[in-house]
Amino acid sequence: MTRYDVVIRGGLVYDGTGSAPRIADVGVLDGKIAAVGRWLPEGARTIDAAGKWVLPGMLDVHTHYDAEVLGSPGLGESVRHGVTTVIFGNCSLSTVYAAAEDCADMFARVEALPWDAVHAAVKEHKDWDGPGSYAASLAARPLGANVAALLGHSDIRVAVMGLERAVDAHAAPTGPELDRMRRMLIDALDAGFVGLSTIRSSFSKLEGTRYPTRRLPSTYASWREYAVLNKVLRQRNRVHQSTPNLTSRVELLRYFTQSAGRLRRPLKTTLIAAADVKADRTVARAAVAAAWLTNKLGGAQFRWQHLPVPFEVYADGVDLVVFEEFGSGVAALNIRDVMRRGELLADESYRRRFRKDLTKRFGPRVWHRDLYDAEIVACPAAEVVGKSFGRVAEERGIEPADALLDLAVEHGSALRWRTVIANDRDDVLDRLQRSAQVQVGFADSGAHLRNMAFYNFGLRLLERAHQRGFLPIEQAVHRLTGELADWYGLDAGHLRKGARADIAVIDPAGFDGSSADYAEAPMPGIEVRRMVNRNDRTVAATLVNGQILYEYGAFAEGFGSTVRAGTFLRAR
């Protein structure tokens, strides 16, 4: 009689394909699923899953764990939410080629990460000289979740051209330099990277002392440069992930065209983001319709990434990425010194610009800029907490913009406020999460420590489907597991005999409405607390490579230090 390492007993088993679930036991042996059936013998460890859901570990395809994985490889904030595979290297950012200072300059501002933490992580831990040794280095670490990677275009552009030329609008790579970038991408794909990431967003700025007002290097590339690299991706059937320039929607046509495949192999293309934006309620429907036309008529392989929860953001003073979308906001963010920024915010000529920007009615935007829809959640002036800037303005007899600026000048980063930018309407969220034109992603795990990343997005989708019934649970599981694994070409996302034993055991009794609650937790390895949502009653167990890493709020002994569970997953 087979003796299993782990038996998960009597749960409702979802296999990740979208098929109807069944009550069964799951037997795990040597890191693989050895059996799915009834009445399996006891394992060395048995998990009672009666009344619970047993499903493949979820995938998080849009993360920025590139620095965190080097010093804190457990990636516990994902593992505690049933995620067993993450993809990083998104938005043109990776740490494969660039030097530590360049990586810190590229990651810190756009991803709201401490510059010193990124710099130290790369400088102290870098023991690789290319994609192959990078993958081997990660695989040798005590990983919790499995990791997969995109190669960042900004990363290779800086490594080839140097940061100064890479962020110069008048500089272009020479023929040999472009060929070197092409070779770097080929080497990465040979090493199993899932593809390439680029960025066009005008919001994406450098940090540091050298070029703090310049955008990320990938934004300076020509579409000819992209085309050379896309040709390699198309030949290898790998993925192009990107962030478009939302102030130039005509550019979206270029992404649709590059993905089209009637006369050639389609290019797998995924962009952020399909969202029900408060500032423009036409965006979600138009985005899905355009993707449907591109895929149906153009034979494309195009997907929007979608965050399946309300996109709630927090700001300390005026430190918020959406301020990058208008001139006066950029001017404030470009000043990193607290005293000098305060002087700018107090200046009346600046305030006139700021008021004008906030009340401008036309033009593309992400933030609604409605200061009546912006709640103050913390401030030394206790009388304003719980109020909107609009209400504070009414009480003081001033404009809402001046209420924000007055409080920011007086209290700086001690002023904290929040607003929901998108995905606030349940019926629209339901439609987006049923759409074949979107994939569930864009959690930004590992980034935005003081704005909010969404580590538990998968659990919140399952909770919505369970409570609202807009999507069968087996389809919701498929969207979070097998659908993503198959599209990215990864050995993950399926619960069947012979598959990797990456499993989440979900307790639906934990779906009590607390999954959106605000919490803070220390970020491993650095003196920073990051914003998180947590629902520890929901995940009964997370297994990676057959090892039980997490149960109801508690990690296994040695997690992230001596336990080696995850690995570097290579794209098929």
Side-chain angles (χ1 to χ4, degrees):
M1 181 178 291
T2 303
R3 174 75 168 176
Y4 298 105
D5 299 324
V6 179
V7 169
I8 304 171
R9 177 81 70 203
L12 187 61
V13 177
Y14 295 85
D15 65 8
T17 68
S19 298
R22 61 184 175 122
I23 300 290
D25 304 335
V26 177
V28 174
L29 183 65
D30 296 332
K32 300 287 187 181
I33 296 171
V36 181
R38 296 306 305 271
W39 319 120
L40 297 184
E42 292 297 301
R45 174 74 190 277
T46 297
I47 297 173
D48 180 7
K52 302 177 179 65
W53 303 346
V54 181
L55 49 129
M58 291 177 277
L59 281 79
D60 188 348
V61 301
H62 192 111
T63 82
H64 292 282
Y65 276 131
D66 307 71
E68 182 175 338
V69 73
L70 302 178
S72 303
L75 306 181
E77 203 59 44
S78 287
V79 170
R80 76 184 305 132
H81 293 117
V83 172
T84 59
T85 297
V86 304
I87 299 177
F88 42 69
N90 285 280
C91 300
S92 85
L93 299 171
S94 61
T95 62
V96 178
Y97 286 105
E101 186 177 12
D102 293 335
C103 288
D105 281 3
M106 290 189 289
F107 273 88
R109 179 165 170 175
V110 67
E111 300 305 339
L113 293 167
W115 189 96
D116 290 341
V118 178
H119 182 264
V122 178
K123 186 174 183 179
E124 293 173 15
H125 296 283
K126 188 169 185 176
D127 58 0
W128 59 86
D129 58 6
S133 54
Y134 174 80
S137 177
L138 293 184
R141 297 171 190 273
L143 294 170
N146 303 304
V147 301
L150 294 153
L151 181 65
H153 182 229
S154 287
D155 183 8
I156 61 175
R157 208 168 197 264
V158 167
V160 170
M161 300 175 65
L163 183 60
E164 181 177 11
R165 288 182 59 234
V167 296
D168 183 346
H170 302 291
T174 64
E177 286 175 333
L178 186 53
D179 189 62
R180 185 179 167 204
M181 281 190 259
R182 176 180 169 277
R183 185 70 249 173
M184 287 174 161
L185 176 58
I186 290 171
D187 289 345
L189 301 185
D190 287 346
F193 282 52
V194 298
L196 177 77
S197 69
T198 64
I199 195 167
R200 301 290 295 174
S201 171
S202 58
F203 300 176
S204 51
K205 303 291 177 60
L206 296 177
E207 186 60 278
T209 60
R210 294 178 294 173
Y211 309 100
T213 63
R214 304 278 182 91
R215 302 187 311 272
L216 290 183
S218 182
T219 66
Y220 293 93
S222 67
W223 284 90
R224 174 182 171 273
E225 184 175 329
Y226 295 141
V228 169
L229 301 174
N230 284 338
K231 184 176 181 180
V232 176
L233 296 173
R234 187 177 288 107
Q235 290 170 343
R236 302 286 289 272
N237 196 30
R238 301 291 176 86
V239 174
H240 182 159
Q241 184 277 330
S242 192
T243 306
N245 183 357
L246 296 178
T247 64
S248 178
R249 293 181 185 173
V250 173
E251 278 201 345
L252 289 174
L253 294 174
R254 290 186 177 270
Y255 288 106
F256 296 148
T257 301
Q258 77 179 12
S259 184
R262 289 297 181 199
L263 301 177
R264 60 185 177 182
R265 171 181 277 184
L267 174 64
K268 285 185 175 179
T269 304
T270 181
L271 303 186
I272 59 172
D276 179 25
V277 180
K278 281 187 175 182
D280 185 350
R281 293 302 196 179
T282 68
V283 166
R285 190 178 296 274
V288 171
W292 182 87
L293 286 170
T294 299
N295 291 325
K296 186 74 172 179
L297 303 182
Q301 278 267 33
F302 182 92
R303 300 289 187 275
W304 290 106
Q305 292 184 352
H306 167 66
L307 178 68
V309 303
F311 188 33
E312 182 182 45
V313 296
Y314 287 75
D316 294 338
V318 295
D319 275 310
L320 187 63
V321 67
V322 292
F323 276 71
E324 304 274 16
E325 72 179 1
F326 54 95
S328 57
V330 172
L333 294 180
N334 281 345
I335 299 175
R336 313 309 288 173
D337 179 78
V338 174
M339 294 295 293
R340 288 183 56 227
R341 180 185 284 181
E343 291 171 0
L344 175 70
L345 301 185
D347 181 77
E348 180 55 34
S349 62
Y350 173 81
R351 290 187 170 216
R352 284 195 295 270
R353 290 173 54 204
F354 189 80
R355 288 192 292 265
K356 183 177 179 180
D357 282 340
L358 257 61
T359 57
K360 184 179 178 182
R361 295 183 59 187
F362 302 106
R365 62 172 64 183
V366 173
W367 180 31
H368 49 75
R369 305 182 199 173
D370 178 2
L371 293 181
Y372 283 88
D373 187 5
E375 180 191 8
I376 301 165
V377 296
C379 184
E383 71 274 8
V384 304
V385 175
K387 300 175 182 178
S388 72
F389 292 111
R391 182 178 170 190
V392 172
E394 288 178 352
E395 293 174 352
R396 296 184 177 186
I398 58 178
E399 293 292 320
D402 288 301
L404 167 59
L405 294 176
D406 285 348
L407 291 169
V409 169
E410 185 174 357
H411 303 293
S413 61
L415 168 69
R416 169 161 292 178
W417 54 280
R418 68 181 176 195
T419 188
V420 174
I421 287 178
N423 297 345
D424 58 310
R425 299 186 297 178
D426 278 329
D427 58 333
V428 180
L429 275 179
D430 292 349
R431 290 199 301 270
L432 286 171
Q433 286 153 35
R434 288 193 298 260
S435 173
Q437 317 311 318
V438 307
Q439 58 184 207
V440 180
F442 192 36
D444 265 350
S445 302
H448 306 301
L449 308 186
R450 309 304 303 160
N451 300 142
M452 183 64 80
F454 299 90
Y455 301 88
N456 71 344
F457 71 98
L459 298 178
R460 292 172 71 179
L461 173 57
L462 293 174
E463 183 174 20
R464 289 188 72 251
H466 181 56
Q467 294 178 345
R468 290 178 56 81
F470 71 94
L471 190 66
I473 299 301
E474 57 265 30
Q475 288 299 319
V477 170
H478 173 62
R479 302 230 70 182
L480 293 163
T481 59
E483 178 182 307
L484 294 170
D486 293 346
W487 200 82
Y488 285 89
L490 295 173
D491 180 17
H494 294 276
L495 200 162
R496 60 193 175 206
K497 186 176 180 179
R500 295 177 51 82
D502 302 330
I503 302 169
V505 182
I506 305 300
D507 186 349
F511 291 148
D512 57 6
S514 65
S515 60
D517 289 352
Y518 176 93
E520 292 197 12
M523 182 176 177
I526 63 174
E527 297 295 322
V528 174
R529 293 178 67 81
R530 60 180 168 195
M531 299 177 179
V532 296
N533 303 123
R534 283 190 175 173
N535 41 347
D536 287 345
R537 291 183 58 242
T538 308
V539 179
T542 304
L543 291 78
V544 177
N545 192 34
Q547 300 184 64
I548 303 171
L549 299 184
Y550 175 84
E551 294 178 278
Y552 284 126
F555 289 97
E557 185 178 353
F559 175 82
S561 58
T562 58
V563 174
R564 298 179 183 273
T567 191
F568 185 91
L569 293 185
R570 301 173 186 272
R572 293 190 293 267

